[in-house]
Amino acid sequence: MDLTSFTDGAQYIAGKLTGGTGSESFDVVNPADGSTVERVRLASTADVDAAVAAAAAALPDWSRATPGSRSEALLRLSAILADRAEDFARVETAQTGKPIKLSTEFDVPGTIDNTAFFAGAARNLEGKAAGEYSGDHTSYVRREPIGVVGSISPWNYPLQMAAWKILPAIAAGNTIVLKPAELTPLTSLMFARACTEAGIPDGVVNVVTGAGRSAGEHLVSHPGVSMVSFTGSTPVGKRVAELATATVKRTHLELGGKAPFVVFEDADLDAAVHGAVAGSLINSGQDCTAATRAYVQRPLYEAFVAGVAELFAAVRLGDPLNPRTDLGPLVSFTHRDRVAGFVERARGYGARVVTGGAAPEVGHDGTDLTRGAYYRPTLITDVAQDSEVVQGEIFGPVLVVLPFDSDDEGMRLANDTPYGLAASAWTRDIQRSLRATREIAAGCVWINDHIPIISEMPHGGYKSSGFGKDMSQYSLDEYTQVKHVMYDITAVARKDWHRTVFGDRA
Ligand code: NAD
């Protein structure tokens, strides 16, 4: 099957691509040059209803399938993804503008590994041991699927986000309706089609391509949906939580980030400088865990700023399909302008833009970058901790660097935003690093690195970055509910505890 053809439509319902019944069209645009990759028809609320109905119809059989058979299907899926890796990487780059080396070496292999991980995890549901905790009963827990999951994903890592939502949900025996971001639906649709090719029954995985306000809100409020898992910005997450709470749904929210990058005076400066460049520019900074605020202890501050500025200026912007390109465009022209707006306002309140702060014109490979949504790697200093560039999620290739003096001050500044998704600390001192891992309030703290993730370990936020974990066994647990089953083992008719309600001791 050619997974990359969307001529039949952009709704994947009950194992088939269909055009749906919506009347609005949307152009998926390649932000590298403004060309249309695909024109899709957006989902109507009736399409969402059809997808939820398909997921509900598939639920009884899928939830009762053995863990072994679900696992086998996921193993087949991982082989299909590996087989089509090039197609996935190419389409991911076309719809997002991310460099092909990132799609090829990070997004796609990460997704394949996640799939293989959840194939194993499907067979490893955990719980307390059965036992006679009351003395008179045997208790055990059943870990059961929740039902139909409604998921909503963002545009920054469309394939990986689809995988992070779909895989734990179906490994645990749920069925799912995923609504990807309207800007980037294509690899989510390909992933769903690959699920069918792997033998996952029709209706287990459905994708509706629609707008947030209509299809998204309809999905989140749908009475047929039992759990909502959302990845996206904090403001939209709040709205999703409101809607999901009104209908008492299990809610899982992976929201925004503003990761600190704390460099202590004893750090390996070269490692910290290179780590800051890679950690802040990954995916053009459109990464919820990207390093956005570097706090550098005073003795290293000047050298760190100079080192990062030098490397930022050497980053190769260009055609994302060129394997030597380091940095592609941002996801859209609107988003590029939003990022540029943060930098312009920062200039207005006295920030020093050390390097960048403008759209480039020509790429390292001669590409005309004015046709795309490009923005130069931008380094900002001399701003207050409470300024917008330090507090707000810019989601672009922009790093702010500020100095600090005492260790306590560094930790305090690191924690001083509403977010708490990820952070890193750079030091060669073991006690310092252990204190940093304890003090920093974030769902992930790296020591002497920033960005790596792995299937076996959880990803998720503290504070306004949300709650719930993606990847790992922890995420599988999130997509299950625990039922306590209690058996009387005494066969005594008049039980001793009854007297607390009526009568006397037997
Ligand atoms: P967004 O919040 O604008 O959109 C996310 C999704 O929500 C999209 O599918 C969108 O269509 C949908 N949506 C929008 N309005 C909605 C509504 N009213 N009801 C229901 N759905 C609605 O986010 P984005 O711009 O696509 O992605 C960037 C954001 O995602 C950043 O804030 C980033 O930090 C966050 N993110 C977080 C993680 C994480 O793991 N915590 C991972 C990736 C991205």
Side-chain angles (χ1 to χ4, degrees):
M1 185 199 297
D2 175 11
L3 299 181
T4 64
S5 157
F6 303 97
T7 44
D8 290 337
Q11 312 305 332
Y12 198 70
I13 300 174
K16 276 170 207 60
L17 268 188
T18 105
T21 60
S23 52
E24 248 185 281
S25 288
F26 187 87
D27 284 344
V28 177
V29 168
N30 183 335
D33 57 11
S35 61
T36 297
V37 182
E38 204 70 50
R39 171 163 291 188
V40 297
R41 186 148 29 115
L42 293 178
S44 65
T45 53
D47 297 333
V48 175
D49 291 342
V52 172
L59 186 64
D61 284 352
W62 184 249
S63 61
R64 286 181 199 139
T66 61
S69 64
R70 282 187 224 131
S71 170
E72 275 168 26
L74 290 174
L75 285 173
R76 288 193 296 272
L77 175 61
S78 125
I80 290 168
L81 298 175
D83 232 36
R84 311 292 172 84
E86 259 178 55
D87 286 346
F88 275 99
R90 186 171 40 77
V91 177
E92 193 74 330
T93 284
Q95 66 177 353
T96 60
K98 66 178 74 195
I100 194 73
K101 66 177 175 179
L102 188 65
S103 303
T104 307
E105 294 173 36
F106 182 64
D107 299 69
V108 176
T111 301
I112 296 167
D113 188 64
N114 258 259
T115 309
F117 171 80
F118 281 108
R123 307 180 79 152
N124 277 297
L125 288 178
E126 287 182 351
K128 206 169 166 64
E132 288 66 50
Y133 296 95
S134 78
D136 290 342
H137 309 83
T138 296
S139 283
Y140 65 88
V141 292
R142 294 174 55 83
R143 202 172 256 290
E144 299 180 341
I146 294 171
V148 174
V149 177
S151 278
I152 296 192
S153 59
W155 46 254
N156 60 338
Y157 291 105
L159 175 62
Q160 292 202 82
M161 294 303 106
W164 288 12
K165 297 294 172 215
I166 292 172
L167 293 167
I170 68 171
N174 304 280
T175 57
I176 186 165
V177 178
L178 172 80
K179 192 206 81 63
E182 37 299 38
L183 291 178
T184 55
L186 303 180
T187 46
S188 303
L189 290 163
M190 290 168 64
F191 188 88
R193 296 174 85 186
C195 287
T196 303
E197 201 172 309
I200 294 171
D202 293 352
V204 172
V205 177
N206 307 275
V207 175
V208 288
T209 300
R213 279 281 169 82
S214 50
E217 295 209 358
H218 193 66
L219 178 61
V220 170
S221 332
H222 203 291
V225 167
S226 303
M227 171 176 175
V228 167
S229 74
F230 171 82
T231 299
S233 62
T234 298
V236 176
K238 286 179 182 166
R239 172 75 182 142
V240 164
E242 228 172 73
L243 293 169
T245 305
T247 42
V248 198
K249 294 176 170 49
R250 166 86 63 100
T251 311
H252 169 115
L253 300 174
E254 298 287 353
L255 308 178
K258 187 75 187 175
F261 184 103
V262 184
V263 183
F264 292 98
E265 62 195 355
D266 67 294
D268 176 338
L269 180 65
D270 191 44
V273 164
H274 279 84
V277 174
S280 64
L281 298 185
I282 183 165
N283 208 31
S284 296
Q286 302 164 124
D287 180 313
C288 49
T289 63
T292 57
R293 306 175 280 141
Y295 297 103
V296 184
Q297 213 155 16
R298 194 83 57 184
L300 292 189
Y301 177 72
E302 293 297 340
F304 181 87
V305 169
V308 173
E310 189 185 330
L311 293 186
F312 266 18
V315 165
R316 293 166 301 195
L317 287 97
D319 176 2
L321 287 174
N322 182 331
R324 295 188 64 244
T325 292
D326 297 320
L327 202 69
L330 297 173
V331 74
S332 68
F333 294 88
T334 312
H335 186 57
R336 192 267 311 269
D337 295 347
R338 184 181 165 275
V339 169
F342 272 95
V343 178
E344 281 323 303
R345 289 191 294 279
R347 280 195 170 104
Y349 51 77
R352 180 174 159 235
V353 179
V354 181
T355 184
E361 290 181 354
V362 184
H364 70 100
D365 48 3
T367 305
D368 173 6
L369 302 184
T370 59
R371 294 166 58 221
Y374 288 87
Y375 199 70
R376 285 215 170 100
T378 299
L379 185 64
I380 294 181
T381 62
D382 298 355
V383 281
Q385 171 67 16
D386 64 359
S387 59
E388 186 195 41
V389 277
V390 177
Q391 294 292 324
E393 192 179 30
I394 304 174
F395 227 53
V398 179
L399 179 67
V400 180
V401 188
L402 295 175
F404 69 93
D405 291 304
S406 70
D407 285 23
D408 283 352
E409 186 192 7
M411 297 294 99
R412 185 179 57 72
L413 292 169
N415 285 332
D416 180 29
T417 73
Y419 298 108
L421 188 59
S424 64
W426 298 73
T427 173
R428 286 180 275 206
D429 176 327
I430 182 76
Q431 280 85 9
R432 225 172 204 162
S433 66
L434 286 166
R435 280 199 305 277
T437 59
R438 185 186 63 180
E439 298 303 325
I440 297 178
C444 171
V445 179
W446 291 283
I447 299 296
N448 297 329
D449 210 342
H450 194 114
I451 289 299
I453 47 174
I454 40 169
S455 300
E456 290 82 354
M457 284 290 148
H459 166 90
Y462 278 24
K463 297 161 48 184
S464 291
S465 292
F467 44 80
K469 300 294 174 193
D470 282 329
M471 301 202 293
S472 79
Q473 192 70 36
Y474 292 93
S475 85
L476 195 70
D477 292 351
E478 303 242 339
Y479 288 89
T480 64
Q481 49 195 346
V482 171
K483 180 185 280 174
H484 171 207
V485 180
M486 201 172 196
Y487 275 86
D488 168 67
I489 57 168
T490 63
V492 170
R494 293 185 59 193
K495 301 188 196 322
D496 197 34
W497 73 266
H498 289 177
R499 77 193 156 83
T500 60
V501 184
F502 70 97
D504 301 316
R505 194 180 286 276

